[in-house]
Amino acid sequence: MLVEVVDNYEKLSDRAAEVVIQQIREKPDSTLGFATGGTPKGLYNRLIEAHEESGLDFSKLTTFNLDEYVGLPPEHEQSYARYMWSTLFNHVNVTESQVHIPHGMAEDVNSHCQWYERRIEEAGGIDLQILGIGANGHIAFNEPGSSLGSRTRIKTLASKTVRDNARYFEDQDMVPEYAITMGVGTIMEADEVLLLASGERKAEAMKKTLEGHITAMTPASMVQMHRFAHVVIDEEAASELDYQHHHGIVEPKDE
Ligand code: F6R
């Protein structure tokens, strides 16, 4: 694992943007996996800047999002589809045909999930998957207890996640309880995963993820098994770590 600890959220966003921009420049027809939530917003702003200021080209990419709430149509203010278009896609040269986001209103959820898996395969797999982490150690909506080999499917959200997400919803009755999510197994097939975490709220989850046992109780801990996990976290998110993580080397803090 390559773990980089940076000073703060701004530096984290800068570093994540460097990684993603390099991927797009080196392989313009990359397949990228995107996450939603608060954490990648700084990254997405920097990608927009790179498009506007130096013509970073998104036109050949294929994209897959990790997850979507069940019951919200793509145009719903709080849907992840809406988030992606308003936060990133509307501001760069991406068209709908390049973009894949699970459909929250799919009539047959199971076949939709299978279709989603097939589309990832047909696209040649994901080159770089951007990930955030929940305070409970979830990745995408694979909550604690999710099978580490799981595939795209419908999941009940943990009550903590429902509470954490509630801040994004004006009408608390609309806070979803189910999501379609790529599985841990799906995510781990990406050639590279880029896990981002910022703030003290994530410190405990990052300790379990990087220094704990690999366990379904911390689905993000599966990054320990990935062939190239790149973890970029800020000082606050790293504050509970017992070890220094530096250039892939792990040492006790006092050495
Ligand atoms: C979103 C997703 C979630 C978030 C996680 C962290 O697509 O998959 O796992 O990455 O809940 O959310 P924030 O960044 O808002 O703290």
Side-chain angles (χ1 to χ4, degrees), residues 35-40 66-67 80 132-134 138-140 167-168 201-202:
T36 59
T39 310
L66 287 169
D67 42 16
Y80 283 177
I133 182 171
H138 74 214
I139 44 172
R167 67 186 190 276
Y168 298 120
R201 206 170 67 84
K202 303 294 174 66

Side-chain angles (χ1 to χ4, degrees), residues 121-139:
E121 221 178 286
E122 285 161 9
I126 293 171
D127 293 301
L128 174 64
Q129 174 66 58
I130 297 155
L131 293 175
I133 182 171
N136 64 1
H138 74 214
I139 44 172

